[in-house]
Amino acid sequence: MKLAGILCVLLALTAGGLLWQTQRHGEAHTRYASLSDEMQHNRVVMDELRAMTADAR
């Protein structure tokens, strides 16, 4: 009985750890995707500014 209790606690800790890692991975992926989108937007703006500067010359 004592062994079964210990195994249940270990199983609960393992499942909790896996859920925590999954959540952290999701947060990191979301942050990376947001930064990637912002970088793409900044690249488009810089390309437009370069084109305007070239036209002004």
Side-chain angles (χ1 to χ4, degrees):
M1 187 58 104
K2 186 176 181 181
L3 181 61
I6 291 172
L7 288 176
C8 286
V9 169
L10 286 175
L11 179 63
L13 288 173
T14 302
L18 287 173
L19 288 172
W20 179 76
Q21 284 182 341
T22 302
Q23 177 192 11
R24 296 292 297 172
H25 177 72
E27 290 172 358
H29 178 73
T30 301
R31 183 170 43 248
Y32 175 76
S34 175
L35 288 174
S36 180
D37 290 345
E38 187 173 341
M39 295 269 301
Q40 179 64 28
H41 175 71
N42 288 345
R43 188 174 299 123
V44 169
V45 170
M46 290 301 294
D47 289 343
E48 289 178 9
L49 285 173
R50 284 187 197 110
M52 289 171 52
T53 303
D55 289 343
R57 290 183 187 166

